[in-house]
Amino acid sequence: MNNFLYAKSDKNYLEIYLEDNLVLLKRITIKSFEKQLSDCANICRVHRSYIINLKVIKKVIGNSQGLQLWINDKEYIPVSRKLIPEFEYKFKNQNL
């Protein structure tokens, strides 16, 4: 999934954002989609509603109380406090 940016959940629907401003709407839960992407090392669930491609993160802002993952100058993805440790581990080790 080289062109995958992030996915945003809305109940049983998933908005999948791709490069070139493409957005796919699929009837699938975020949990099922996460399982489909389990072989991709650079994909991380960061919130109950978001999965992100770690390679598209431009900057990380925040602290242990909450993080924001900026993917461009206007959009950011929130990281839930519960998932911060997993995100930090994957983000630091993604290029190893």
Side-chain angles (χ1 to χ4, degrees):
M1 296 214 60
N2 293 336
N3 61 347
F4 173 74
L5 300 176
Y6 67 95
K8 180 181 178 183
S9 172
D10 185 17
K11 298 181 183 161
N12 288 335
Y13 288 90
L14 198 63
E15 295 173 8
I16 302 169
Y17 293 82
L18 306 172
E19 290 177 349
D20 299 325
N21 294 321
L22 295 174
V23 180
L24 303 175
L25 183 63
K26 298 282 187 178
R27 191 174 196 290
I28 186 173
T29 63
I30 195 166
K31 187 173 186 174
S32 297
F33 189 65
E34 183 180 21
K35 285 181 185 177
Q36 290 179 9
L37 298 176
S38 62
D39 292 340
C40 301
N42 60 322
I43 304 296
C44 184
R45 175 99 176 247
V46 294
H47 190 275
R48 69 180 177 160
S49 300
Y50 290 95
I51 295 175
I52 190 166
N53 180 346
L54 298 174
K55 296 193 180 293
V56 302
I57 298 171
K58 303 294 184 218
K59 64 182 172 180
V60 179
I61 297 177
N63 54 35
S64 62
Q65 295 299 311
L67 296 178
Q68 296 175 345
L69 310 177
W70 288 83
I71 57 175
N72 59 40
D73 292 335
K74 298 177 185 173
E75 292 181 274
Y76 73 88
I77 306 297
V79 180
S80 69
R81 286 182 292 174
K82 176 181 163 186
L83 295 173
I84 288 174
E86 179 183 350
F87 162 73
E88 288 178 335
Y89 176 80
K90 283 188 169 184
F91 190 65
K92 289 176 185 174
N93 295 303
Q94 70 178 322
N95 294 322
L96 297 179

